[in-house]
Amino acid sequence: MNKHAASPPPTRWSTSAAGMLVALATAFALSQAFRTVGAMMATPLTQHFGLTPQALGTWAGTFHFTFGIMQLAMGVSIDHFGVRRTVLTAFPLAIAGAALCTVAPGFGALLLGQALIGVGCAPAFLACTVFIARHFDASRFTAMSGLVMSLAGLGIVFTGTPLALLIEAASWRAGYAVLTAFAVLSWIVIFWRVHEPARTPAALAPDEPAPERQSLRQAVRDLLPLFAMPHTLGLLCFACVSYAAFITLRGLWLGPVLHDRHGLSLVASGNVALVMTVAGMASPMLFGRLDPGGARRTRWMMRCAFAGAAMFAAMALTQSRAIDIGLPIVYGLLSGYSVLLYAYTKNAYPAAVTGRAMALLNMAMFLGVSLMQWTTGVAASWAVAHGTEPFRAVFLTVSGMLAAGTLAFLVLPRARERARPTSADL
């Protein structure tokens, strides 16, 4: 028997699959780093370019906007060309965007760089999710997704104390330069390590039809039935705010609030961000392993989100240094509940549309980040114009949006808790 004959992708843990997943996770880690640089770069960028809080929110939100709108296209590309070719083709745009930010002469170039980085990083997490679905047991989906999210947290670790030290020793441009170099290394590792087995006709079961390739237009049309399902609206409302609250704090406002409200140095702020990041790295893996499933899962999700809204309200109203340092760390420990949203989505739709549902979920989550970052920037600018402390407006806005999205998920129809939906439910 030929040991090298084509065979279906492995359905259990293997050294080869594990190595490829780790290689793909390096791009996801860079994506996490790029989306959280704002916490340490916001102050030096404001000083260098004279940015208003609204411009700062626009700069941070640009990454997530282009990232979000490209999710569906990247999903179609992964279906057409595979995980490897999609990531290798898109990621050079992130490298180019980071290089542009490194030498940006003005705010416009900085925005263009952010937009390119968002497009280039767009397939990073989706590629990991699809890879897990194809190469690991379905029973391990939530746990493996949580593990990848935790590994990718190393990118957020870099944007804490290490980035703060780098900026103080050199400049914010040096931070972008180092991220550019890391992105190049990630592309090389993926090029060298990731080689998905092709699903050739010989590899398919005798009664298994060849997979159909769909166009982007067809993919958009295929999303429409999801909106006809009553539980989709509530899911999207919750998705738009759950992850956005964490990234808006860790990726944009944590550094400025500690520096401007409490006078902490950039490195001291980076230390707080680092501890929050470590907590945030452990949290998805923990929630992935403790996922209770069924109705208890949705109760966990809503309770965690409402608790987060209360924390942001406390940060807005107290202006206490202890609270502004302690609660972000506690929220980092809590933030992993968003991984349960992927398990909920996977179980809320028929198997035939799971891929489309995941793509829609990703779009909602990252467009929600863009919306929240832009909205908080507008709120901060409004507060400054009216003589109000800007961070109070920022955190009240986050608290209100998080509570509103969670309340919508609570009162709108939710998916029936069942073992597995069928196509007859569409």
Side-chain angles (χ1 to χ4, degrees):
M1 181 176 179
N2 184 2
K3 295 182 180 180
H4 300 288
S7 60
T11 58
R12 64 180 184 275
W13 180 281
S14 71
T15 303
S16 176
M20 288 190 285
L21 182 59
V22 169
L24 290 170
T26 63
F28 184 29
L30 265 297
S31 175
Q32 295 281 63
F34 281 122
R35 79 186 50 169
T36 54
V37 294
M40 295 301 107
M41 287 194 179
T43 298
L45 285 177
T46 298
Q47 295 170 348
H48 186 90
F49 292 110
L51 303 183
T52 64
Q54 183 173 348
L56 198 61
T58 300
W59 165 74
T62 297
F63 169 95
H64 296 97
F65 179 75
T66 56
F67 187 104
I69 63 174
M70 291 301 296
Q71 287 302 296
L72 186 57
M74 292 302 172
V76 171
S77 178
I78 288 173
D79 287 342
H80 272 263
F81 306 112
V83 166
R84 182 179 190 271
R85 290 175 65 184
T86 298
V87 174
L88 290 178
T89 301
F91 207 56
L93 293 176
I95 297 172
L100 177 59
C101 288
T102 303
V103 299
F107 184 58
L110 202 64
L111 282 184
L112 177 58
Q114 282 283 89
L116 289 173
I117 294 171
V119 175
C121 290
F125 179 56
L126 187 59
C128 292
T129 302
V130 171
F131 189 88
I132 292 169
R134 291 176 178 174
H135 293 266
F136 294 89
D137 290 332
S139 62
R140 298 182 60 84
F141 181 85
T142 305
M144 293 305 299
S145 296
L147 177 61
V148 167
M149 290 179 71
S150 296
L151 289 174
L154 292 173
I156 312 182
V157 168
F158 174 77
T159 61
T161 305
L163 181 59
L165 289 169
L166 181 59
I167 292 173
E168 285 209 340
S171 70
W172 61 268
R173 295 186 188 275
Y176 269 120
V178 170
L179 286 172
T180 303
F182 281 154
V184 171
L185 288 176
S186 174
W187 189 93
I188 292 172
V189 168
I190 293 170
F191 178 82
W192 166 63
R193 189 67 185 88
V194 178
H195 297 280
E196 287 189 291
R199 297 300 304 272
T200 61
L204 299 172
D207 58 345
E208 182 179 356
E212 294 184 6
R213 292 183 172 182
Q214 60 177 181
S215 66
L216 180 59
R217 179 179 297 180
Q218 182 181 351
V220 173
R221 286 201 307 266
D222 286 349
L223 286 178
L224 297 179
L226 300 184
F227 289 99
M229 302 181 76
H231 57 269
T232 296
L233 180 58
L235 169 65
L236 294 181
C237 290
F238 190 74
C240 279
V241 298
S242 56
Y243 183 60
F246 174 79
I247 290 297
T248 298
L249 175 59
R250 173 58 184 85
L252 179 57
W253 296 112
L254 181 62
V257 74
L258 295 177
H259 180 272
D260 298 344
R261 180 186 271 185
H262 301 296
L264 271 66
S265 68
L266 192 63
V267 173
S269 301
N271 292 337
V272 177
L274 178 62
V275 177
M276 180 184 180
T277 299
V278 172
M281 287 174 62
S283 185
M285 188 163 50
L286 180 64
F287 274 95
R289 291 189 176 277
L290 298 179
D291 178 11
R296 290 183 63 200
R297 176 192 290 146
T298 56
R299 289 197 294 269
W300 279 29
M301 289 159 54
M302 289 185 287
R303 288 170 181 169
C304 289
F306 279 130
M311 291 181 194
F312 280 104
M315 292 175 68
L317 299 176
T318 62
Q319 300 188 37
S320 162
R321 174 182 290 200
I323 286 179
D324 287 349
I325 291 175
L327 286 189
I329 296 171
V330 175
Y331 190 65
L333 286 171
L334 193 69
S335 63
Y337 75 87
S338 61
V339 76
L340 301 180
L341 192 55
Y342 285 93
Y344 171 85
T345 302
K346 190 171 184 289
N347 199 47
Y349 295 92
V353 298
T354 297
R356 280 169 270 168
M358 289 293 184
L360 185 61
L361 174 65
N362 280 338
M363 288 177 64
M365 290 180 75
F366 291 105
L367 289 177
V369 174
S370 178
L371 175 63
M372 186 176 286
Q373 290 185 331
W374 178 81
T375 303
T376 53
V378 172
S381 290
W382 179 90
V384 170
H386 290 79
T388 302
E389 207 256 356
F391 301 112
R392 172 171 291 188
V394 165
F395 293 138
L396 283 177
T397 300
V398 175
S399 177
M401 293 179 71
L402 184 55
T406 308
L407 184 62
F409 185 62
L410 173 64
V411 301
L412 290 171
R414 295 194 297 275
R416 297 195 303 272
E417 304 299 340
R418 50 190 174 180
R420 188 62 183 166
T422 64
S423 58
D425 297 315
L426 272 179

